[in-house]
Amino acid sequence: MKPFRYERVTDPYAAVAAVSASPQARYLAGGTNLVDLMKLGVETPDVLVDISGVSFGGIEETGRGGLRIGAFVSNSDLAAHPLVRERYPALSQAVLAGASGQLRNAATVGGNLLQRTRCLYFQDTSKPCNKRRPGSGCPAIEGIHRDLAVLGTSRHCVATQPGDMVVALAAFDAEVHLLGPAGERTVPLTGFHRLPGNEPQRDTVLKHGELITAVELPALPIAARSVYRKVRDRSSYAFALTSAAVAIEVRGGVVRDVRIAYGSLAAKPWRARAAEEFLLGAPATEENFALAADTELAAARPLRDNGYKVTLARNLTVRLLTDLTGPVGSVAHAQGAPR
Ligand SMILES: Cc1cc2nc3c(=O)[nH]c(=O)nc-3n(C[C@H](O)[C@H](O)[C@H](O)COP(=O)(O)OP(=O)(O)OC[C@H]3O[C@@H](n4cnc5c(N)ncnc54)[C@H](O)[C@@H]3O)c2cc1C
Ligand code: SF4
Protein backbone atom coordinates (compact mmCIF):
# COMPACT_ATOMS: atom_id res chain seq x y z
CA MET A 1 0.00 0.00 0.00
CA LYS A 2 1.26 3.48 -0.84
CA PRO A 3 2.29 5.45 2.29
CA PHE A 4 -0.18 8.15 3.33
CA ARG A 5 -0.61 10.75 6.04
CA TYR A 6 -3.45 10.37 8.56
CA GLU A 7 -5.35 13.36 10.00
CA ARG A 8 -8.21 13.37 12.43
CA VAL A 9 -10.63 16.30 12.49
CA THR A 10 -13.65 17.14 14.62
CA ASP A 11 -14.99 20.08 12.65
CA PRO A 12 -16.69 19.72 9.23
CA TYR A 13 -15.11 22.93 7.90
CA ALA A 14 -11.64 21.67 8.92
CA ALA A 15 -12.43 18.39 7.16
CA VAL A 16 -13.37 20.21 3.95
CA ALA A 17 -10.24 22.37 4.14
CA ALA A 18 -8.00 19.35 4.73
CA VAL A 19 -9.33 17.35 1.77
CA SER A 20 -9.56 20.38 -0.51
CA ALA A 21 -5.87 21.08 0.08
CA SER A 22 -4.73 18.01 -1.91
CA PRO A 23 -6.29 16.47 -5.04
CA GLN A 24 -5.33 13.01 -3.73
CA ALA A 25 -6.77 13.47 -0.20
CA ARG A 26 -9.78 11.35 0.80
CA TYR A 27 -12.26 11.30 3.68
CA LEU A 28 -12.09 8.17 5.82
CA ALA A 29 -15.43 7.07 7.29
CA GLY A 30 -15.93 3.38 8.20
CA GLY A 31 -13.13 2.48 5.80
CA THR A 32 -14.90 -0.69 4.61
CA ASN A 33 -14.60 0.22 0.93
CA LEU A 34 -11.80 2.77 0.83
CA VAL A 35 -9.27 0.70 2.76
CA ASP A 36 -10.01 -2.40 0.65
CA LEU A 37 -9.37 -0.36 -2.49
CA MET A 38 -6.15 1.05 -1.01
CA LYS A 39 -4.92 -2.48 -0.34
CA LEU A 40 -5.63 -3.33 -3.99
CA GLY A 41 -3.79 -0.20 -5.18
CA VAL A 42 -6.98 1.14 -6.81
CA GLU A 43 -7.14 4.10 -4.42
CA THR A 44 -3.82 5.78 -3.64
CA PRO A 45 -4.56 8.78 -1.39
CA ASP A 46 -1.70 10.83 0.01
CA VAL A 47 -3.79 12.03 2.97
CA LEU A 48 -6.66 10.31 4.81
CA VAL A 49 -8.89 12.69 6.75
CA ASP A 50 -10.71 10.69 9.42
CA ILE A 51 -14.20 12.16 9.94
CA SER A 52 -15.30 9.81 12.73
CA GLY A 53 -14.93 12.67 15.26
CA VAL A 54 -17.17 15.10 13.35
CA SER A 55 -20.69 15.62 14.75
CA PHE A 56 -23.00 14.99 11.81
CA GLY A 57 -26.05 14.30 13.98
CA GLY A 58 -28.13 11.15 14.21
CA ILE A 59 -31.57 10.38 12.83
CA GLU A 60 -34.00 13.21 13.53
CA GLU A 61 -37.45 14.26 12.37
CA THR A 62 -37.45 17.39 10.25
CA GLY A 63 -39.92 20.24 10.63
CA ARG A 64 -41.47 19.08 7.35
CA GLY A 65 -42.29 15.62 8.69
CA GLY A 66 -39.39 13.83 7.04
CA LEU A 67 -36.18 12.39 8.46
CA ARG A 68 -32.67 13.81 8.50
CA ILE A 69 -30.00 11.11 8.67
CA GLY A 70 -26.49 12.27 9.65
CA ALA A 71 -23.73 11.12 7.29
CA PHE A 72 -21.94 9.12 9.99
CA VAL A 73 -24.98 7.09 11.09
CA SER A 74 -23.99 3.45 10.75
CA ASN A 75 -25.88 1.17 8.39
CA SER A 76 -26.93 -0.93 11.41
CA ASP A 77 -28.36 2.04 13.29
CA LEU A 78 -30.19 3.24 10.19
CA ALA A 79 -31.82 -0.13 9.56
CA ALA A 80 -32.85 -0.55 13.20
CA HIS A 81 -34.29 2.93 13.80
CA PRO A 82 -38.00 2.71 14.73
CA LEU A 83 -39.03 5.64 12.50
CA VAL A 84 -37.18 4.20 9.51
CA ARG A 85 -38.78 0.79 10.03
CA GLU A 86 -42.24 2.32 10.46
CA ARG A 87 -42.21 5.01 7.76
CA TYR A 88 -39.73 3.70 5.16
CA PRO A 89 -39.61 -0.11 5.65
CA ALA A 90 -38.00 -0.68 2.22
CA LEU A 91 -35.04 1.41 3.35
CA SER A 92 -34.53 -0.70 6.46
CA GLN A 93 -34.91 -3.90 4.39
CA ALA A 94 -32.44 -2.62 1.77
CA VAL A 95 -29.77 -1.81 4.33
CA LEU A 96 -30.22 -5.19 6.05
CA ALA A 97 -29.85 -6.93 2.67
CA GLY A 98 -26.34 -5.49 2.33
CA ALA A 99 -22.99 -6.89 3.44
CA SER A 100 -22.79 -8.55 6.89
CA GLY A 101 -23.64 -7.53 10.46
CA GLN A 102 -20.02 -6.56 11.19
CA LEU A 103 -19.71 -4.50 8.02
CA ARG A 104 -23.03 -2.75 8.63
CA ASN A 105 -21.81 -1.78 12.11
CA ALA A 106 -18.78 -0.04 10.57
CA ALA A 107 -20.25 1.26 7.29
CA THR A 108 -21.73 4.75 7.28
CA VAL A 109 -24.46 6.41 5.25
CA GLY A 110 -22.04 8.83 3.56
CA GLY A 111 -19.56 6.08 2.68
CA ASN A 112 -22.33 3.82 1.41
CA LEU A 113 -23.43 6.43 -1.14
CA LEU A 114 -19.87 6.58 -2.45
CA GLN A 115 -18.96 2.90 -2.55
CA ARG A 116 -17.39 2.08 -5.86
CA THR A 117 -18.29 -0.48 -8.49
CA ARG A 118 -17.51 -4.16 -8.00
CA CYS A 119 -16.47 -4.60 -11.66
CA LEU A 120 -13.61 -7.11 -11.55
CA TYR A 121 -11.44 -5.14 -13.96
CA PHE A 122 -11.82 -1.98 -11.89
CA GLN A 123 -10.45 -3.84 -8.86
CA ASP A 124 -7.50 -5.38 -10.75
CA THR A 125 -4.77 -2.83 -11.43
CA SER A 126 -3.06 -5.15 -13.91
CA LYS A 127 -6.02 -4.68 -16.30
CA PRO A 128 -7.14 -1.68 -18.36
CA CYS A 129 -10.24 0.14 -17.07
CA ASN A 130 -11.60 3.51 -18.19
CA LYS A 131 -13.04 4.20 -14.75
CA ARG A 132 -9.72 3.64 -12.98
CA ARG A 133 -7.41 4.84 -15.78
CA PRO A 134 -9.35 7.00 -18.29
CA GLY A 135 -8.61 6.13 -21.92
CA SER A 136 -7.20 2.67 -21.17
CA GLY A 137 -10.29 0.79 -22.44
CA CYS A 138 -13.16 -1.27 -21.09
CA PRO A 139 -12.37 -4.99 -21.15
CA ALA A 140 -15.71 -5.81 -19.48
CA ILE A 141 -17.71 -5.11 -22.65
CA GLU A 142 -16.26 -8.16 -24.38
CA GLY A 143 -15.14 -9.93 -21.18
CA ILE A 144 -16.77 -10.75 -17.85
CA HIS A 145 -19.92 -8.63 -17.53
CA ARG A 146 -22.59 -10.96 -16.15
CA ASP A 147 -23.11 -8.65 -13.11
CA LEU A 148 -22.81 -5.38 -15.00
CA ALA A 149 -25.20 -2.75 -16.33
CA VAL A 150 -28.00 -3.00 -18.86
CA LEU A 151 -29.32 0.57 -18.55
CA GLY A 152 -27.56 3.88 -19.17
CA THR A 153 -24.27 2.34 -20.30
CA SER A 154 -21.78 3.91 -22.70
CA ARG A 155 -19.07 2.45 -24.93
CA HIS A 156 -16.61 3.60 -22.26
CA CYS A 157 -18.05 1.78 -19.24
CA VAL A 158 -20.79 -0.70 -18.29
CA ALA A 159 -20.22 -0.76 -14.52
CA THR A 160 -23.02 -0.76 -11.95
CA GLN A 161 -23.45 1.11 -8.70
CA PRO A 162 -23.89 -2.01 -6.56
CA GLY A 163 -25.53 -0.58 -3.43
CA ASP A 164 -28.83 -1.47 -1.77
CA MET A 165 -29.55 1.54 0.45
CA VAL A 166 -29.39 3.96 -2.48
CA VAL A 167 -32.21 2.13 -4.28
CA ALA A 168 -34.73 2.84 -1.53
CA LEU A 169 -33.41 6.40 -1.18
CA ALA A 170 -33.96 6.92 -4.93
CA ALA A 171 -37.51 5.57 -4.74
CA PHE A 172 -38.34 7.95 -1.88
CA ASP A 173 -36.93 11.20 -3.34
CA ALA A 174 -34.16 11.56 -0.77
CA GLU A 175 -31.79 14.52 -0.92
CA VAL A 176 -28.06 14.62 -0.18
CA HIS A 177 -26.73 17.56 1.84
CA LEU A 178 -23.19 18.65 1.01
CA LEU A 179 -20.65 21.04 2.49
CA GLY A 180 -17.82 22.14 0.23
CA PRO A 181 -15.22 24.88 -0.15
CA ALA A 182 -17.91 27.04 -1.81
CA GLY A 183 -20.51 26.42 0.94
CA GLU A 184 -23.54 24.16 1.29
CA ARG A 185 -25.71 22.65 -1.42
CA THR A 186 -28.35 19.95 -1.74
CA VAL A 187 -28.55 17.39 -4.54
CA PRO A 188 -31.45 15.02 -5.20
CA LEU A 189 -30.31 11.41 -4.68
CA THR A 190 -31.50 10.55 -8.19
CA GLY A 191 -29.10 13.19 -9.55
CA PHE A 192 -26.19 12.35 -7.26
CA HIS A 193 -24.73 9.36 -9.16
CA ARG A 194 -23.72 9.80 -12.81
CA LEU A 195 -24.12 7.65 -15.88
CA PRO A 196 -20.71 6.96 -17.45
CA GLY A 197 -21.00 8.85 -20.76
CA ASN A 198 -17.53 10.00 -21.81
CA GLU A 199 -16.31 10.36 -18.21
CA PRO A 200 -16.74 7.00 -16.46
CA GLN A 201 -14.10 7.98 -13.91
CA ARG A 202 -16.66 10.35 -12.31
CA ASP A 203 -19.13 8.24 -10.30
CA THR A 204 -21.06 11.17 -8.85
CA VAL A 205 -21.58 14.92 -9.16
CA LEU A 206 -19.57 15.45 -5.96
CA LYS A 207 -16.74 17.97 -6.39
CA HIS A 208 -13.38 17.30 -4.78
CA GLY A 209 -13.46 18.37 -1.13
CA GLU A 210 -17.23 18.23 -0.78
CA LEU A 211 -18.37 16.43 2.34
CA ILE A 212 -21.69 14.61 2.65
CA THR A 213 -23.21 15.90 5.87
CA ALA A 214 -26.66 14.27 5.78
CA VAL A 215 -29.32 12.54 3.74
CA GLU A 216 -32.88 13.82 4.05
CA LEU A 217 -36.05 11.87 3.39
CA PRO A 218 -39.27 13.80 2.72
CA ALA A 219 -42.53 13.00 4.47
CA LEU A 220 -43.94 10.29 2.20
CA PRO A 221 -46.96 8.35 3.48
CA ILE A 222 -46.84 5.89 0.56
CA ALA A 223 -43.39 4.74 1.74
CA ALA A 224 -44.93 3.19 4.88
CA ARG A 225 -46.17 0.33 2.68
CA SER A 226 -42.97 -0.20 0.71
CA VAL A 227 -40.83 -3.24 0.11
CA TYR A 228 -37.26 -3.96 -1.06
CA ARG A 229 -36.24 -7.22 -2.68
CA LYS A 230 -32.71 -8.21 -3.74
CA VAL A 231 -31.96 -11.03 -6.17
CA ARG A 232 -28.44 -12.42 -5.78
CA ASP A 233 -26.41 -15.55 -6.36
CA ARG A 234 -26.62 -16.61 -2.70
CA SER A 235 -28.93 -15.48 0.04
CA SER A 236 -26.45 -13.49 2.13
CA TYR A 237 -23.20 -11.61 1.80
CA ALA A 238 -23.55 -11.03 -1.93
CA PHE A 239 -24.15 -7.98 -4.07
CA ALA A 240 -27.40 -7.72 -5.99
CA LEU A 241 -27.79 -9.00 -9.51
CA THR A 242 -30.97 -6.95 -9.62
CA SER A 243 -32.96 -5.33 -6.85
CA ALA A 244 -36.03 -3.16 -6.54
CA ALA A 245 -37.65 -0.82 -4.02
CA VAL A 246 -41.36 -0.42 -4.60
CA ALA A 247 -44.34 1.35 -3.02
CA ILE A 248 -47.86 1.64 -4.35
CA GLU A 249 -51.15 3.18 -3.34
CA VAL A 250 -54.32 1.77 -4.88
CA ARG A 251 -57.83 3.14 -4.39
CA GLY A 252 -60.90 1.71 -6.07
CA GLY A 253 -58.70 -0.70 -7.99
CA VAL A 254 -56.76 2.18 -9.61
CA VAL A 255 -53.14 3.16 -9.00
CA ARG A 256 -53.13 6.57 -7.26
CA ASP A 257 -49.40 6.74 -6.53
CA VAL A 258 -46.43 4.48 -7.13
CA ARG A 259 -42.65 4.44 -6.60
CA ILE A 260 -40.29 2.03 -8.36
CA ALA A 261 -36.47 2.08 -8.30
CA TYR A 262 -34.03 -0.58 -9.47
CA GLY A 263 -30.56 -1.42 -8.18
CA SER A 264 -27.54 -2.99 -9.91
CA LEU A 265 -28.92 -2.33 -13.40
CA ALA A 266 -26.97 0.89 -14.04
CA ALA A 267 -24.19 3.14 -12.75
CA LYS A 268 -26.82 4.80 -10.58
CA PRO A 269 -29.90 3.65 -8.70
CA TRP A 270 -32.50 3.66 -11.47
CA ARG A 271 -35.74 5.45 -10.73
CA ALA A 272 -38.29 3.88 -13.05
CA ARG A 273 -40.20 7.03 -13.97
CA ALA A 274 -41.58 5.68 -17.26
CA ALA A 275 -43.06 2.69 -15.41
CA GLU A 276 -44.51 4.98 -12.73
CA GLU A 277 -46.11 7.24 -15.35
CA PHE A 278 -47.57 4.23 -17.12
CA LEU A 279 -49.22 3.02 -13.92
CA LEU A 280 -50.61 6.31 -12.57
CA GLY A 281 -54.38 6.20 -13.05
CA ALA A 282 -54.29 2.70 -14.53
CA PRO A 283 -56.07 -0.35 -13.09
CA ALA A 284 -53.79 -2.17 -10.61
CA THR A 285 -53.54 -5.43 -12.51
CA GLU A 286 -50.72 -7.88 -12.99
CA GLU A 287 -50.90 -7.23 -16.73
CA ASN A 288 -50.39 -3.49 -16.24
CA PHE A 289 -47.52 -4.07 -13.81
CA ALA A 290 -45.77 -6.14 -16.50
CA LEU A 291 -46.49 -3.56 -19.22
CA ALA A 292 -45.14 -0.81 -16.97
CA ALA A 293 -41.89 -2.74 -16.41
CA ASP A 294 -41.62 -3.39 -20.16
CA THR A 295 -42.05 0.34 -20.83
CA GLU A 296 -39.17 1.15 -18.50
CA LEU A 297 -36.91 -1.66 -19.59
CA ALA A 298 -37.33 -0.96 -23.32
CA ALA A 299 -34.28 1.27 -22.87
CA ALA A 300 -32.10 -1.67 -21.73
CA ARG A 301 -29.07 -2.54 -23.87
CA PRO A 302 -27.90 -5.87 -22.48
CA LEU A 303 -24.51 -7.36 -23.32
CA ARG A 304 -23.78 -10.97 -24.31
CA ASP A 305 -24.18 -12.42 -20.79
CA ASN A 306 -26.43 -10.10 -18.80
CA GLY A 307 -29.77 -10.07 -20.64
CA TYR A 308 -31.20 -12.16 -17.81
CA LYS A 309 -31.18 -8.99 -15.68
CA VAL A 310 -33.94 -7.47 -17.80
CA THR A 311 -36.14 -10.52 -17.20
CA LEU A 312 -35.29 -10.43 -13.49
CA ALA A 313 -36.21 -6.76 -13.19
CA ARG A 314 -39.51 -7.31 -15.00
CA ASN A 315 -40.44 -10.30 -12.85
CA LEU A 316 -39.38 -8.52 -9.67
CA THR A 317 -41.57 -5.52 -10.52
CA VAL A 318 -44.63 -7.66 -11.16
CA ARG A 319 -44.04 -9.78 -8.08
CA LEU A 320 -43.54 -6.88 -5.68
CA LEU A 321 -46.44 -4.79 -6.99
CA THR A 322 -48.72 -7.83 -6.95
CA ASP A 323 -47.64 -8.69 -3.41
CA LEU A 324 -48.23 -5.12 -2.21
CA THR A 325 -51.71 -4.98 -3.72
CA GLY A 326 -52.53 -8.66 -3.51
CA PRO A 327 -54.52 -11.21 -1.57
CA VAL A 328 -54.10 -12.78 1.88
CA GLY A 329 -50.61 -14.15 2.45
CA SER A 330 -48.96 -11.37 0.46
CA VAL A 331 -46.71 -8.58 1.72
CA ALA A 332 -49.77 -6.29 1.76
CA HIS A 333 -51.59 -8.65 4.05
CA ALA A 334 -48.57 -9.15 6.29
CA GLN A 335 -48.14 -5.39 6.64
CA GLY A 336 -51.80 -4.70 7.14
CA ALA A 337 -51.95 -2.44 4.09
CA PRO A 338 -55.38 -1.20 2.98
CA ARG A 339 -56.44 -2.39 -0.46
C1 LIG B 1 -17.45 -7.84 1.77
C2 LIG B 1 -18.34 -6.66 1.52
C3 LIG B 1 -19.65 -6.88 1.14
C4 LIG B 1 -20.49 -5.78 0.91
N1 LIG B 1 -21.77 -5.99 0.53
C5 LIG B 1 -22.59 -4.95 0.27
C6 LIG B 1 -23.92 -5.13 -0.16
O1 LIG B 1 -24.39 -6.26 -0.32
N2 LIG B 1 -24.68 -4.02 -0.41
C7 LIG B 1 -24.20 -2.75 -0.24
O2 LIG B 1 -24.92 -1.78 -0.47
N3 LIG B 1 -22.93 -2.55 0.16
C8 LIG B 1 -22.14 -3.61 0.42
N4 LIG B 1 -20.85 -3.40 0.80
C9 LIG B 1 -20.33 -2.03 0.76
C10 LIG B 1 -20.40 -1.35 2.08
O3 LIG B 1 -21.74 -1.08 2.37
C11 LIG B 1 -19.59 -0.09 1.90
O4 LIG B 1 -18.25 -0.48 1.92
C12 LIG B 1 -19.85 0.92 3.00
O5 LIG B 1 -21.17 1.33 3.00
C13 LIG B 1 -18.95 2.12 2.83
O6 LIG B 1 -19.09 2.94 3.97
P1 LIG B 1 -17.83 3.38 4.82
O7 LIG B 1 -18.33 4.29 5.86
O8 LIG B 1 -17.04 2.20 5.27
O9 LIG B 1 -17.04 4.20 3.71
P2 LIG B 1 -15.45 4.37 3.44
O10 LIG B 1 -14.89 3.09 2.94
O11 LIG B 1 -14.81 5.00 4.63
O12 LIG B 1 -15.53 5.44 2.31
C14 LIG B 1 -16.02 5.14 1.01
C15 LIG B 1 -15.85 6.38 0.14
O13 LIG B 1 -16.70 7.42 0.59
C16 LIG B 1 -15.95 8.59 0.91
N5 LIG B 1 -16.68 9.18 2.05
C17 LIG B 1 -17.06 8.54 3.18
N6 LIG B 1 -17.81 9.35 3.94
C18 LIG B 1 -17.92 10.52 3.27
C19 LIG B 1 -18.59 11.76 3.53
N7 LIG B 1 -19.33 11.94 4.63
N8 LIG B 1 -18.49 12.75 2.62
C20 LIG B 1 -17.76 12.58 1.48
N9 LIG B 1 -17.10 11.44 1.20
C21 LIG B 1 -17.18 10.42 2.07
C22 LIG B 1 -14.55 8.10 1.20
O14 LIG B 1 -13.60 9.12 0.95
C23 LIG B 1 -14.43 6.97 0.20
O15 LIG B 1 -14.11 7.47 -1.08
C24 LIG B 1 -19.99 -4.46 1.07
C25 LIG B 1 -18.68 -4.25 1.48
C26 LIG B 1 -17.85 -5.33 1.71
C27 LIG B 1 -16.43 -5.09 2.13
S1 SF4 C 1 -17.13 -1.57 -16.96
FE1 SF4 C 1 -16.28 0.36 -16.25
S2 SF4 C 1 -15.29 -0.25 -14.34
FE2 SF4 C 1 -15.53 -2.13 -15.55
S3 SF4 C 1 -13.71 -2.34 -16.86
FE3 SF4 C 1 -15.18 -1.19 -18.02
S4 SF4 C 1 -14.58 0.92 -17.59
FE4 SF4 C 1 -13.71 -0.30 -15.96
Side-chain angles (χ1 to χ4, degrees):
M1 195 190 288
K2 192 185 126 188
F4 59 89
R5 195 157 47 84
Y6 171 84
E7 279 181 33
R8 197 157 191 277
V9 291
T10 52
D11 174 70
Y13 296 93
V16 170
V19 168
S20 302
S22 165
Q24 295 307 319
R26 295 282 182 274
Y27 295 113
L28 176 67
T32 60
N33 191 218
L34 179 58
V35 175
D36 279 359
L37 292 174
M38 288 169 67
K39 289 181 193 162
L40 293 169
V42 174
E43 290 274 8
T44 53
D46 55 2
V47 186
L48 279 192
V49 178
D50 183 342
I51 53 173
S52 58
V54 175
S55 294
F56 290 101
I59 299 176
E60 292 142 22
E61 287 190 85
T62 64
R64 297 178 290 279
L67 283 187
R68 180 195 182 277
I69 304 160
F72 215 83
V73 168
S74 74
N75 285 192
S76 299
D77 287 348
L78 176 64
H81 197 280
L83 290 179
V84 175
R85 288 162 55 103
E86 181 192 321
R87 297 184 189 173
Y88 310 91
L91 175 58
S92 176
Q93 293 161 15
V95 174
L96 289 175
S100 64
Q102 293 94 330
L103 281 161
R104 291 194 296 271
N105 288 342
T108 64
V109 166
N112 194 290
L113 292 186
L114 292 171
Q115 66 173 295
R116 306 214 63 192
T117 184
R118 296 277 155 175
C119 173
L120 296 174
Y121 303 99
F122 175 74
Q123 295 180 324
D124 180 348
T125 56
S126 72
K127 301 287 190 300
C129 167
N130 284 329
K131 189 180 273 301
R132 183 169 29 76
R133 195 152 37 90
S136 61
C138 176
I141 290 173
E142 294 296 329
I144 300 169
H145 54 235
R146 176 177 171 269
D147 297 352
L148 300 186
V150 294
L151 287 165
T153 54
S154 80
R155 65 191 174 86
H156 301 291
C157 182
V158 293
T160 54
Q161 204 288 352
D164 295 294
M165 182 182 84
V166 288
V167 184
L169 293 178
F172 300 154
D173 294 320
E175 292 185 325
V176 186
H177 292 282
L178 304 172
L179 175 69
E184 295 179 25
R185 67 181 178 125
T186 300
V187 179
L189 192 283
T190 49
F192 183 74
H193 298 91
R194 288 183 70 258
L195 294 177
N198 293 328
E199 290 184 299
Q201 69 276 19
R202 292 181 55 220
D203 291 357
T204 68
V205 299
L206 206 66
K207 296 178 189 143
H208 183 69
E210 280 187 312
L211 178 70
I212 300 171
T213 53
V215 170
E216 189 170 329
L217 283 160
L220 196 66
I222 187 179
R225 293 187 307 278
S226 59
V227 65
Y228 180 78
R229 188 88 36 98
K230 173 176 181 175
V231 182
R232 44 189 158 170
D233 279 330
R234 54 172 192 258
S235 60
S236 80
Y237 212 39
F239 285 91
L241 298 169
T242 302
S243 68
V246 164
I248 188 164
E249 185 189 330
V250 176
R251 267 182 281 129
V254 170
V255 178
R256 300 296 174 190
D257 197 2
V258 59
R259 301 295 149 107
I260 306 169
Y262 298 126
S264 293
L265 293 188
K268 59 188 290 180
W270 192 270
R271 179 72 178 268
R273 295 199 191 272
E276 292 176 359
E277 273 172 35
F278 181 95
L279 285 174
L280 277 179
T285 62
E286 191 172 323
E287 187 188 3
N288 278 338
F289 299 155
L291 286 171
D294 289 342
T295 304
E296 187 69 43
L297 296 164
R301 298 286 173 269
L303 299 164
R304 184 193 62 227
D305 293 332
N306 66 0
Y308 75 96
K309 285 188 163 205
V310 179
T311 314
L312 270 185
R314 181 184 197 266
N315 293 347
L316 204 50
T317 313
V318 175
R319 174 61 189 267
L320 294 183
L321 291 173
T322 308
D323 276 0
L324 278 173
T325 55
V328 172
S330 67
V331 174
H333 180 73
Q335 294 179 342
R339 293 189 289 276

